[in-house]
Amino acid sequence: MAEDNHAIGIDLGTTYSCVATWQADHVEILVNDHGNRTTRSYVTFTDSKMLVGDEAFNQAGRFPTNSIFDAKRLIGRRFSDETVQSDIKRWPFKVIRGEADKPMIVIKHKGQEKLFAAEDISSMVLAKMREIAEAFHCSKISEKKAVITVPSYFNDSQRQATLKAGKLAGLNVLRIINEPTAAAIAYGIDKKAGWFKKRNVMIFDWGGGTLDVSLLTIGHGVFDVKATAGDTHLGGEDLDNRMVNYCIEEFKTKQNVDIGGDAKALRKVKIACEKAKKALSFSFDTGIEIDSWYKGEDFHTTFTRDKFEELNMDIFNKCMEPVNKCLEDAKMDISEVDDVVLVGGSSRIPKVQELLQEVFKGKELCKSINPDEAVAYGAAVQAAALSGNVTGKLQDFTLLDVTPLSLGIESGKDGSSELFMNVVIPRNSRIPVRMTKTVTTRYDYQESVKFPIYEGENRIARDNNFLGEFTLHGIPPAPRHVPKFNVYFDMDANRVLSVSAEDMSTGQKKGIKINGDRTKN
Ligand code: AMP
């Protein structure tokens, strides 16, 4: 195979992934070995080999406890996280607590038990996407250049773990970008809006596992993110799970059969429910038929759209929260939003579209871009721009992004043991950004001060995501509140955060660099 220099864009999804490349002045969505434009984010260990993608999904029924999916729901999280604990209960594969509270997936392969971190599984999916691209380009290189997308609301650990997965897959990760931003690029190029009049665009991106909402102003080649909000644990899978539980209960009531935690039976119902859910986006009722579901018993039921909506109404309503939050943060009125663009498979659901239209007082929603491919499309454009492989209009392409989560230090109040989050950079600040805060001591004659750094919106510091810490020693003796320290937070365009503190009386300075999702320069 020949060497090549094409950069690729990868949408690493919870349920499906998609890869694209910029070629001859346009984006190509690459087709996998099964002829599909999106690939199941699945890894299955059979008795003899490891399968990845659609083949892994097809074989999952035979090896339910050895078929891994939803790695994105685990990546960068702690085993003790509430969401991890609830997900584990419904997964047929085993997850245990590893070192430092890291969740580890357990599989049995060739008679041996093996442990994998979520990023290991994601790296296998990424390697599959890389192979698809290599087949298209008829090339194989040791480090293929790639841009990988993540939900904009992913925190630093989730981004770091995704980056690690990319490196493990032999990719030279040029940058990790946010999914809705990538979708906006696709929309801008499709509509040619990116190069003409300025437009305010809301991207509503609802996929299999996450919801992402972003507001951007696009025009003259500049994609300017104004605000972003979302939920990293709210997606189509949650709807499937509600339907699954409903079917299990009905089976229990009607036929007096309890499938318990049987992995094969769970998989059968999960597939049937996802299929029915998709059908309900286009028809008003559909049948769920599972022959020989469990202990030889068949199961048949009818699902109406009304029943589906009733079962999931709270989830649909929850989807509107980030929409409102995003408008508020961007200080934008609904009348100022020119286009509301639907992205992600779950955005096809009529009820969600209806609620979204209600928020925007009946505004027509944009369904012109392919909801399954837009993210990979935008990532491919960004990859080409970053690798200098573009000509014409794309040379003017500029992306201005924001911090999705607030960044700050832990501080205490006098007389209280509660340590709260002292925000230095509020969420949705334009990056690169530099902000400063002055803090002081809490106790008389304090000799040292610790600066723990967090990201997140919780008032209590330790409920947020811990990023790192450093300590200033040798503080001249003084009563509390007298010493003054300037704390500087600096985030560059690649999301590398540098935090330093300066003792104003001595000029002593110390700091720490927190490597965001950025890779090599
Ligand atoms: P994505 O992560 O964007 O690939 O979205 C995948 C999710 O979209 C999965 O949960 C799918 O079940 C869901 N999905 C795909 N097509 C439809 C549809 N027609 N109606 C409802 N959900 C869908």
Side-chain angles (χ1 to χ4, degrees):
M1 277 190 177
E3 295 263 312
D4 91 308
N5 195 28
H6 286 101
I8 54 174
I10 303 177
D11 169 10
L12 177 62
T14 312
T15 45
Y16 296 86
S17 295
C18 185
V19 57
T21 192
W22 180 261
Q23 168 121 328
D25 253 10
H26 73 282
V27 170
E28 268 307 325
I29 301 287
L30 307 183
V31 173
N32 70 17
D33 43 358
H34 281 60
N36 297 324
R37 291 162 74 88
T38 56
T39 299
R40 291 274 184 173
S41 307
Y42 256 75
V43 177
T44 297
F45 296 86
T46 70
D47 297 333
S48 56
K49 54 187 176 206
M50 181 185 89
L51 302 169
V52 187
D54 293 355
E55 192 52 28
F57 175 79
N58 293 342
Q59 295 289 327
R62 292 176 55 211
F63 308 94
T65 54
N66 259 3
S67 293
I68 318 302
F69 53 91
D70 275 0
K72 193 170 171 181
R73 287 198 146 182
L74 272 183
I75 206 159
R77 291 188 188 269
R78 285 188 290 250
F79 180 81
S80 53
D81 272 6
E82 222 176 276
T83 60
V84 171
Q85 285 305 309
S86 85
D87 281 339
I88 284 175
K89 286 192 195 111
R90 59 173 186 88
W91 284 330
F93 51 89
K94 192 169 152 191
V95 182
I96 59 165
R97 184 196 301 268
E99 247 176 64
D101 203 20
K102 196 176 168 86
M104 299 299 290
I105 298 155
V106 188
I107 62 114
K108 273 213 180 98
H109 191 48
K110 296 183 181 169
Q112 277 190 331
E113 206 169 72
K114 287 189 183 161
L115 293 185
F116 292 104
E119 52 268 33
D120 298 325
I121 302 295
S122 292
S123 79
M124 293 163 196
V125 176
L126 286 172
K128 178 76 191 177
M129 305 319 281
R130 176 194 155 149
E131 266 172 38
I132 295 170
E134 284 173 349
F136 177 80
H137 289 134
C138 294
S139 70
K140 202 172 179 67
I141 53 169
S142 54
E143 276 213 316
K144 193 153 186 70
K145 289 185 199 157
V147 164
I148 304 174
T149 59
V150 292
S152 53
Y153 230 51
F154 254 23
N155 68 24
D156 187 71
S157 348
Q158 291 166 307
R159 285 166 193 265
Q160 293 277 12
T162 306
L163 177 59
K164 190 172 167 201
K167 286 183 177 163
L168 286 172
L171 295 168
N172 168 4
V173 185
L174 298 170
R175 196 164 290 179
I176 300 268
I177 64 166
N178 294 332
E179 287 163 10
T181 311
I185 295 170
Y187 179 73
I189 288 176
D190 179 57
K191 282 272 155 280
K192 301 195 171 53
W195 278 264
F196 298 105
K197 211 175 109 236
K198 272 193 180 179
R199 293 182 84 76
N200 294 323
V201 177
M202 174 171 274
I203 303 286
F204 181 86
D205 177 4
W206 201 23
T210 55
L211 169 67
D212 250 305
V213 182
S214 281
L215 249 173
L216 300 95
T217 301
I218 56 183
H220 312 296
V222 179
F223 290 74
D224 183 355
V225 182
K226 296 294 182 195
T228 185
D231 192 323
T232 54
H233 205 271
L234 190 70
E237 289 245 302
D238 298 291
L239 311 172
D240 302 346
N241 294 338
R242 290 269 173 96
M243 293 174 82
V244 163
N245 292 341
Y246 179 91
C247 292
I248 291 173
E249 283 310 310
E250 193 167 303
F251 199 39
K252 246 192 239 172
T253 321
K254 271 194 189 161
Q255 270 134 294
N256 204 19
V257 185
D258 186 357
I259 69 156
D262 186 85
K264 275 194 179 164
L266 267 175
R267 191 183 143 68
K268 277 187 190 171
V269 65
K270 194 168 150 30
I271 292 174
C273 286
E274 194 200 358
K275 202 169 144 212
K277 173 190 74 175
K278 287 183 181 176
L280 288 173
S281 291
F282 307 102
S283 47
F284 289 96
D285 54 53
T286 189
I288 293 184
E289 296 182 7
I290 315 173
D291 291 336
S292 186
W293 182 10
Y294 188 63
K295 293 192 172 160
E297 291 282 334
D298 299 342
F299 175 72
H300 303 279
T301 192
T302 304
F303 234 95
T304 61
R305 194 184 278 180
D306 283 348
K307 195 194 296 183
F308 172 72
E309 289 173 356
E310 192 191 311
L311 213 53
N312 293 301
M313 205 54 212
D314 58 323
I315 295 181
F316 298 145
N317 282 326
K318 213 169 163 200
C319 288
M320 297 304 122
E321 288 170 18
V323 172
N324 290 314
K325 193 167 153 207
C326 211
L327 285 163
E328 257 169 51
D329 281 2
K331 298 184 182 61
M332 212 181 270
D333 186 74
I334 50 164
S335 62
E336 295 171 79
V337 178
D338 297 297
D339 306 310
V340 180
V341 182
L342 299 178
V343 181
S346 305
S347 72
R348 292 193 177 96
I349 296 169
K351 193 72 197 175
V352 173
Q353 297 183 357
E354 190 187 312
L355 292 179
L356 204 51
Q357 253 184 323
E358 260 171 41
V359 173
F360 286 92
K361 308 260 182 285
K363 188 178 183 58
E364 217 30 67
L365 308 173
C366 298
K367 300 174 189 169
S368 60
I369 57 171
N370 185 318
D372 306 317
E373 299 173 359
V375 172
Y377 185 116
V381 172
Q382 173 73 319
L386 286 173
S387 59
N389 237 343
V390 287
T391 48
K393 62 183 184 182
L394 269 195
Q395 285 176 321
D396 303 326
F397 172 80
T398 312
L399 178 60
L400 303 172
D401 221 332
V402 294
T403 53
L405 298 160
S406 300
L407 296 155
I409 47 166
E410 187 177 73
S411 298
K413 286 202 177 84
D414 286 352
S416 158
S417 58
E418 197 177 80
L419 295 169
F420 67 93
M421 173 82 168
N422 190 351
V423 173
V424 181
I425 300 181
R427 69 166 189 265
N428 286 322
S429 297
R430 152 88 56 256
I431 48 175
V433 55
R434 181 181 165 85
M435 289 191 183
T436 310
K437 235 181 190 170
T438 305
V439 296
T440 183
T441 47
R442 291 173 67 205
Y443 305 103
D444 293 337
Y445 309 110
Q446 218 173 301
E447 287 172 1
S448 63
V449 178
K450 207 193 251 180
F451 295 90
I453 306 148
Y454 286 89
E455 66 173 354
E457 311 309 319
N458 281 304
R459 205 177 58 82
I460 305 295
R462 66 172 157 19
D463 291 340
N464 292 308
N465 186 39
F466 176 69
L467 297 176
E469 64 183 3
F470 62 92
T471 307
L472 268 185
H473 296 282
I475 293 159
R480 68 184 146 165
H481 297 174
V482 172
K484 294 277 184 282
F485 309 95
N486 272 351
V487 184
Y488 305 96
F489 271 57
D490 246 303
M491 185 176 262
D492 71 14
N494 295 318
R495 289 175 195 277
V496 176
L497 175 68
S498 305
V499 180
S500 60
E502 184 179 11
D503 182 339
M504 300 313 284
S505 66
T506 63
Q508 191 206 162
K509 212 170 176 184
K510 204 165 175 186
I512 186 172
K513 192 172 243 192
I514 290 147
N515 232 358
D517 53 31
R518 179 52 187 148
T519 54
K520 294 169 193 162
N521 271 312

